[in-house]
Structure formats: C-alpha cells, structure tokens
Amino acid sequence: MNLSLGVKVLIVVICALVSVIVGGLAALLNHDPGTPKRKAVIFGGGVFAGSLTLAVVVLSALGVL
C-alpha cells in the first residue's frame, strides 16, 4: 500500500492505544487482592510491549507500514 505519512502515524497511534487497553486489562486480570500492585503493573507493561510489537510486525508484514 502507498499510504501517506499522516495515515501511517495514525495507524501506529491506534495500535498504541489498543495496546494500552490490552495491557491495562491484563494488569487488572493479573492483580490479586491483598498483593502489591507492582507485579500487576509490570505484567501489564510487558503485555503492552508485546501487543504493540505484534501489531507493528503484522502491519509491516501486510505492507501497511
């Protein structure tokens, strides 16, 4: 695809926002009552990084980015 730079930036921003939602939900699901929130936040950050990387790799392989 031959997309403009603005559209590509918009796609990456959308991927980042979806990854934030996925990471936040993963952190909520990982947190146990009575335990420190630090482990859940670190886990959510790892899920965020993994999902953003996966989204960018898939879009690059499809030729969008």
Side-chain angles (χ1 to χ4, degrees), residues 17-41:
L17 291 175
V18 170
S19 296
V20 165
I21 292 170
V22 170
L25 288 175
L28 284 174
L29 290 174
N30 189 28
H31 179 65
D32 293 327
T35 61
K37 292 180 179 70
R38 180 179 16 209
K39 290 182 180 181
V41 171

Side-chain angles (χ1 to χ4, degrees), residues 1 4 7 9 11 17 22-23 32 35 38 40-41 43 45 48 50-51 54 57-59 61-63 65:
M1 289 184 173
S4 67
V7 173
V9 169
I11 290 172
L17 291 175
V22 170
D32 293 327
T35 61
R38 180 179 16 209
V41 171
F43 182 78
F48 164 75
S51 64
L54 181 65
V57 166
V58 167
L59 289 175
L62 291 175
L65 296 180

